[in-house]
């Protein structure tokens, strides 16, 4: 008999991708679906995933263990959000209103707003305030089903202010169940005071920031916003190669607002991911597939920027590229922490299937963070990161859009969130 600390049984459905990761082509859309399902957890790990009747034969609850009847609910792996800009101060609501009146994101940025306005607010913020903001956002992620997120600096743009953001991430990750994968994004844009000496800013990123971030073990990845108005291909390559020398794995914002060869660069340097890709070229798609670079698609940002341009999601899938989905949570282009609306947009605006979107938001996202052996699917031996959703099957996650279906979240085998009782009454 297997000895469990936690047993969830009689789920109406369990839906999960299964490894090996990443899932590409047709396998992106194939989920393992188990009706009347159970999962058993010992410590932080899943020890059983299967039909409830098999669990009854194979699993025994330890003394003091917890048995939950989840009949009528659907079990899914926790979402893995592989692209967020979590630690920042201030709001860009006023810019949002300007955009509603017809100004573009790039016009606002060129006039000193955009990323630079968040940089100003973030530099001025005290550490406890930045930490409090990040914790509130992590709470909302968890409430919407995210159990692991990548999180970038990039609103400091000076050695001290970048270190401040990364240290805040380190601190909040110690006291919050959502697991954080930190990324250094000192090359988000050239800060306003360095605009006349941009080569010197790139030099500082390469020679001072990257070594220090690496020495203090504050990040796992190095990212660059490779875009007109931000960093050129040559600058991006220089920065990402420097990151590699210091043990920071590359990922990048590529081909978001214009076609700039970002995807090709990602393939050339062996990046873990190229993100956005609204303007990816055909050659970029082929090289990403050959090099195993994950395409992190971000339908929330295109939607929120009212852009008519969409990444060629179907072409990426059919071209054999590993596709993942992210919020890109940030104050300018996608101010939501919630993954379910991103899945809805992926299905309705990028033509992903529901099962494809679920794999992209779990196992493939985990793969892009180098963690697909541990998280991203409900498989025996993996970490127990589980969503219990108050829906009869996984189709309802996308069909019943705009509603939070999360009832319970298990993170590393522990109950991390339970919806307040007053909201648990079922409405007809
Ligand atoms: O991913 N593109 C660059 N960075 C963010 C936007 C950040 C901001 O506007 O503050 C993005 O869309
Ligand atoms: Fe981003």
């Amino acid at each position: 008999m297997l000895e469990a600390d936690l047993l969830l049984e009689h789920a109406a459905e369990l839906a999960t991708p299964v490894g090996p990761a990443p899932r590409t082509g047709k396998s992106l859309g194939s989920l393992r679906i188990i009706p009347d399902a159970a999962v058993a957890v010992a410590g932080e790990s899943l020890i059983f995933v299967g039909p409830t009747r098999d669990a009854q034969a194979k699993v025994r609850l330890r003394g003091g263990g917890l048995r939950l009847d989840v009949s009528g609910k659907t079990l899914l792996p926790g979402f893995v959000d592989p692209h967020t800009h979590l630690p920042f101060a201030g709001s860009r609501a006023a810019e949002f209103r300007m955009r509603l009146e017809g100004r573009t994101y790039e016009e606002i940025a060129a006039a000193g707003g955009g990323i630079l306005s968040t940089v100003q607010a973030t530099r001025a913020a005290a550490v406890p305030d930045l930490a409090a903001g990040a914790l509130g956002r992590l709470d909302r992620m968890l409430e919407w089903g995210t159990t692991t997120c990548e999180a970038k600096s990039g609103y400091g743009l000076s050695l001290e202010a970048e270190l401040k953001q990364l240290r805040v991430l380190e601190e909040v990750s110690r006291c919050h169940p959502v697991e954080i994968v930190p990324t250094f994004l000192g090359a988000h844009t050239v800060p306003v005071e360095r605009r006349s000496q941009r080569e010197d800013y790139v030099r500082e990123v390469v020679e001072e920031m990257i070594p220090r971030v690496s020495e203090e073990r504050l990040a796992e990845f190095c990212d660059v916003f490779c875009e007109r108005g931000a960093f050129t291909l040559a600058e991006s390559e220089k920065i990402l190669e420097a990151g590699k020398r210091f043990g920071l794995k590359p990922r990048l914002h590529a081909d978001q607002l214009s076609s700039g060869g970002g995807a090709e660069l990602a393939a050339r340097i062996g990046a873990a991911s190229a993100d956005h890709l609204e303007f990816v070229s055909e050659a970029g798609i082929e090289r990403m597939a050959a090099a195993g670079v994950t395409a992190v698609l971000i339908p929330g940002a295109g939607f929120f920027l009212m852009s008519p341009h969409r990444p060629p999601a179907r072409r990426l899938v059919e071209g054999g590229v590993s596709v993942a989905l992210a919020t890109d949570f940030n104050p300018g282009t996608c101010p939501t922490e919630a993954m379910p609306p991103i899945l809805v947009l992926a299905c309705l605006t990028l033509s992903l299937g529901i099962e494809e979107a679920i794999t992209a938001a779990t196992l493939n996202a985990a793969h892009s963070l180098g963690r697909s052996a541990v998280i991203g699917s409900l498989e025996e031996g993996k970490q127990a990161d589980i969503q219990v959703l108050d829906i009869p099957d996984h189709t309802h996650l996308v069909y019943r859009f705009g509603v939070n279906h999360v009832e319970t979240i298990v993170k590393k085998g522990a109950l991390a969130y339970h919806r307040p009782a007053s909201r648990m009454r079922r409405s007809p």
Side-chain angles (χ1 to χ4, degrees), residues 83 85 92 105 114-115 118 155 188 225 253 256 276 301 328 330-333:
H83 182 142
H85 300 255
R92 305 244 290 276
Y105 177 73
I115 294 171
T118 303
Y155 292 121
H188 199 183
F225 187 17
H253 288 70
Q256 178 184 7
H276 290 285
D328 190 13
N330 76 76
T333 65

Side-chain angles (χ1 to χ4, degrees), residues 83 85 150 152 183-189 198 202 205-206 210 221-227 230-241 243 249-256 262 265 269 273-276:
H83 182 142
H85 300 255
E150 184 261 15
K152 304 175 196 297
T183 295
F184 168 64
L185 178 59
H188 199 183
T189 189
R198 55 180 299 127
V202 172
V205 170
V206 166
I210 286 175
F221 289 93
C222 181
D223 191 347
V224 174
F225 187 17
C226 179
E227 187 62 61
F231 293 88
T232 65
L233 268 186
E235 290 166 342
S236 303
E237 182 161 7
K238 191 167 170 189
I239 292 163
L240 294 170
E241 285 294 349
K249 291 167 272 180
R251 53 198 316 121
L252 64 157
H253 288 70
D255 304 325
Q256 178 184 7
L265 172 63
I269 60 173
S273 72
D275 303 23
H276 290 285

Side-chain angles (χ1 to χ4, degrees), residues 143-219:
E143 281 172 30
W144 283 87
T146 296
T147 47
T148 300
C149 73
E150 184 261 15
K152 304 175 196 297
S153 63
Y155 292 121
L157 309 186
S158 70
L159 176 63
E160 279 317 314
E162 286 291 307
L163 292 176
K164 174 170 82 169
Q165 278 193 284
L166 291 171
R167 288 184 187 128
V168 162
L169 288 176
E170 190 179 41
E171 197 168 309
V172 297
S173 75
R174 273 197 232 109
C175 54
H176 200 281
V178 173
E179 228 172 315
I180 299 176
V181 180
T183 295
F184 168 64
L185 178 59
H188 199 183
T189 189
V190 179
V192 75
E193 70 280 6
R194 309 290 288 278
R195 290 250 152 136
S196 59
Q197 323 114 20
R198 55 180 299 127
E199 311 81 62
D200 191 57
Y201 184 69
V202 172
R203 186 206 52 77
E204 185 181 335
V205 170
V206 166
E207 292 177 13
E208 293 170 35
M209 296 191 200
I210 286 175
R212 190 67 182 279
V213 167
S214 162
E215 187 191 333
E216 294 196 25
R217 298 180 178 280
L218 287 170

Side-chain angles (χ1 to χ4, degrees), residues 16 23 35 40 52 85 87 99 160 162 180 210 227 247 266 270-271 292 302 307 309 329 377 402 411 426:
T16 182
R23 309 303 288 167
T52 300
H85 300 255
R99 288 199 301 101
E160 279 317 314
E162 286 291 307
I180 299 176
I210 286 175
E227 187 62 61
S307 163
H309 305 287
F329 171 66
S377 62
K411 175 66 184 175
R426 255 177 187 274

